[in-house]
Amino acid sequence: MSEKVTGASPISGEGIRGDGQAHWYVVHTYSGHEKKVKTSIEKMVENRGMQDEIVEVSIPMDDILDSKTGKIRKEAKKRFPGYVLIKMIVNNETWYLVRNTQGVTGFVGNGANPIPLTKEETVRMGVEKVHIDLDMEVGETIKVISGPFEGFVAVIEKINPEKQTLGVKMTVLGRETPVELEFRNVDKLDG
């Protein structure tokens, strides 16, 4: 009599045990399949009524400037190519759904025990926002401290506290250009 040996399945035995809270997890995908994975997971979540367990699927994007043609245009670029971030409650069903989505190669962490991102990591990665009370006014000159415009100086034209953004004018490639910046990317100009 022969015995078949298979890999441990989180669906059998004790299974996956999370703390019952939704946390952000990083899922590795085949390169270039991030949008397909995101769409597939969102459709399966909707079809199975799992919106309370898989809360959000995200592909963090950054705006970059494309100056190849001599014209300024914003272009979105994946911040973490080959990865999708998912805010979910880990249990057997959610783990299985995500892990078996076409294009997913696995969770970051121990395969059967995904490791959630810390609050600090989600804020630093721009996945979760921290409300910032900005002590700046329209007409004030600011400096950009992070993001694609890091090092630029700009003048505030409008402030949107709800979206946590500033509408500014800055000189880019020799032209005055209107740009929207997040509060977290700017600081007062010293001097």
Side-chain angles (χ1 to χ4, degrees), residues 1-160:
M1 194 150 120
S2 68
E3 187 173 297
K4 185 177 179 184
V5 178
T6 60
S9 167
I11 304 304
S12 63
E14 288 188 24
I16 297 288
R17 285 199 177 143
D19 63 4
Q21 301 293 316
H23 298 284
W24 284 99
Y25 295 89
V26 180
V27 175
H28 190 260
T29 69
Y30 292 123
S31 183
H33 285 77
E34 300 88 353
K35 287 182 181 178
K36 290 177 187 174
V37 166
K38 179 182 188 301
T39 302
S40 293
I41 291 172
E42 288 172 340
K43 283 182 182 176
M44 286 188 284
V45 165
E46 185 178 330
N47 290 342
R48 296 177 186 197
M50 297 174 66
Q51 294 89 340
D52 292 338
E53 295 169 283
I54 298 180
V55 181
E56 188 176 346
V57 183
S58 175
I59 304 170
M61 305 291 270
D62 283 325
D63 289 334
I64 59 169
L65 288 179
D66 180 14
S67 59
K68 292 176 192 170
T69 62
K71 295 182 180 180
I72 299 168
R73 68 178 182 138
K74 285 173 69 171
E75 181 180 299
K77 181 179 179 184
K78 293 177 195 128
R79 192 175 304 156
F80 309 110
Y83 295 94
V84 172
L85 303 177
I86 303 176
K87 187 171 188 174
M88 62 186 255
I89 297 171
V90 172
N91 58 38
N92 287 345
E93 193 176 3
T94 58
W95 183 92
Y96 188 81
L97 181 142
V98 172
R99 184 65 185 90
N100 290 294
T101 299
Q102 187 173 352
V104 170
T105 60
F107 281 91
V108 171
N110 177 0
N113 295 309
I115 300 170
L117 294 172
T118 64
K119 181 72 171 174
E120 294 78 24
E121 288 170 327
T122 60
V123 170
R124 191 173 58 242
M125 294 168 75
V127 177
E128 288 196 358
K129 306 229 188 268
V130 174
H131 182 78
I132 299 170
D133 289 323
L134 193 68
D135 183 26
M136 296 182 190
E137 299 174 1
V138 171
E140 194 169 345
T141 302
I142 52 102
K143 63 181 174 184
V144 183
I145 58 172
S146 64
F149 299 103
E150 183 175 352
F152 280 77
V153 174
V155 176
I156 299 172
E157 292 195 321
K158 56 185 164 182
I159 300 173
N160 186 334

